[in-house]
Amino acid sequence: MKLSDIPITLSGPGSQPGEADAAEPGFIPMPREMSSYSAPDIPEPETVQHLQGAKAVTDWISQALADYRVGGDALIADISSLDPDSRELINQILGEGEVSLTYTENAVRVRMQEAVLAGIWRTFYLDSDGHISRDFIEICDVPVLARRAPDADKVAKLLQQSAPEDVMNAMPLLSELHEHVTTWKAGDTGRVINLTLLPLSEGDIYFLGETLGSGPVETLSRGYGDCKISSTAYPGIWWVRYTNSMGTLILNTLETTDIPSVACAAQEDLDDSRMRFAEILEPYWKELG
């Protein structure tokens, strides 16, 4: 072969087609931000030395973090009667973390917020006007009200459903959910149906949503994108949706368990929180003994 026989391919400016759909290269948008731990901004130690109520609460949290183990009962303190200045300091120390929950059933309205340290939760019971009526601190992997154990008796209704003609693949999923619930035992790992990978039509998704309904618990976990966890009308069946940092749905699942693990703090998280909490408090109460 001669050098002149080798075809020449042009590249660079002016070599690409001029049509609108090829005029500019396309790029996948890059993530804009990611949530990460940052130490809370709290007052200088000398300004809060007199707040004995806050000291008592932080002492309790320190001991509870040392005592609690994932899988055990939540440790709960009622701080509803705490004086305003001490409460403000506790608010500043605990801050707001990545996971928030709401519980709404009949007249009961509760808002739960993880602190900046995993495994420390604020649980606020709200009155009819949305004002805080009770204020609790929970040390646990997830607040008590968040758990909804699968109910085999209620889930039997799923098999009594009939689907419209445009629903093709939803009914087998309801049968699978029924099996998951009836065979679930406390301590089991959640069983997941990945809807993203299944050939489901819009009619299938709509039918599943209408059939499963909504329950009292809503959870939002922020991080590298968001994870929204919604309880259904059937205790123990959860709808879990993951979106990326641009708000695009990237994973859509149904999970059978008492609480999806993504909403829970791990034991390693709680151990880390215990050490971080001690570091935060170290300059504050050491002079009080």
Side-chain angles (χ1 to χ4, degrees):
M1 178 181 289
K2 298 180 182 180
L3 183 62
S4 59
D5 295 330
I6 300 175
I8 299 174
T9 301
L10 298 178
S11 62
S15 64
Q16 304 304 309
E19 291 82 7
D21 62 347
E24 296 291 340
F27 297 95
I28 297 175
M30 297 299 290
R32 293 188 295 269
E33 61 183 15
M34 176 178 175
S35 299
S36 59
Y37 170 79
S38 57
D41 182 17
I42 51 182
E44 293 299 322
E46 59 271 12
T47 66
V48 298
Q49 294 293 302
H50 63 291
L51 298 179
Q52 293 296 309
K55 181 181 185 302
V57 172
T58 56
D59 285 347
W60 179 87
I61 294 174
S62 296
Q63 188 60 51
L65 286 171
D67 293 342
Y68 177 78
R69 292 293 179 271
V70 169
D73 294 335
L75 303 178
I76 304 174
D78 185 347
I79 63 168
S80 304
S81 60
L82 195 63
D83 65 273
D85 288 340
S86 291
R87 185 186 307 279
E88 178 61 25
L89 179 59
I90 294 301
N91 291 341
Q92 290 176 295
I93 291 174
L94 297 184
E96 292 190 0
E98 297 177 357
V99 184
S100 58
L101 304 92
T102 59
Y103 179 96
T104 306
E105 189 167 40
N106 299 324
V108 180
R109 299 172 58 197
V110 185
R111 179 167 60 88
M112 293 157 275
Q113 176 66 54
E114 190 176 40
V116 293
L117 300 176
I120 306 176
W121 303 83
R122 298 295 297 278
T123 298
F124 305 103
Y125 282 74
L126 309 177
D127 61 21
S128 57
D129 296 322
H131 301 138
I132 297 173
S133 59
R134 300 292 298 275
D135 184 354
F136 295 89
I137 294 177
E138 297 188 56
I139 306 299
C140 50
D141 56 347
V142 70
V144 172
L145 283 177
R147 294 187 182 277
R148 288 174 59 77
D151 189 324
D153 292 333
K154 288 186 177 181
V155 80
K157 296 180 181 179
L158 288 179
L159 300 183
Q160 302 170 7
Q161 302 296 323
S162 58
E165 292 183 359
D166 63 335
V167 173
M168 304 297 294
N169 298 312
M171 290 304 296
L173 295 181
L174 294 182
S175 296
E176 187 172 353
L177 288 170
H178 176 269
E179 179 187 355
H180 290 178
V181 170
T182 53
T183 58
W184 183 88
K185 301 184 298 296
D188 283 355
T189 302
R191 301 180 68 178
V192 178
I193 300 175
N194 188 343
L195 302 179
T196 311
L197 300 178
L198 299 178
L200 298 176
S201 66
E202 291 185 4
D204 286 317
I205 295 295
Y206 179 80
F207 176 74
L208 285 173
E210 288 294 299
T211 302
L212 294 177
S214 58
V217 180
E218 290 281 349
T219 303
L220 179 62
S221 177
R222 302 176 181 86
Y224 200 62
D226 291 340
C227 175
K228 184 177 181 181
I229 306 167
S230 304
S231 63
T232 68
Y234 296 86
I237 299 177
W238 304 81
W239 208 308
V240 184
R241 301 175 176 90
Y242 296 83
T243 58
N244 62 18
S245 60
M246 281 76 71
T248 303
L249 182 67
I250 58 174
L251 184 60
N252 190 13
T253 67
L254 288 169
E255 185 167 349
T256 304
T257 182
D258 56 348
I259 180 70
S261 60
V262 69
C264 303
Q267 186 60 55
E268 293 80 1
D269 298 324
L270 282 140
D271 293 340
D272 182 67
S273 294
R274 176 175 52 80
M275 292 185 291
R276 289 185 185 272
F277 194 67
E279 292 171 359
I280 292 171
L281 297 184
E282 195 274 335
Y284 278 81
W285 313 115
K286 59 183 180 180
E287 297 180 4
L288 294 181

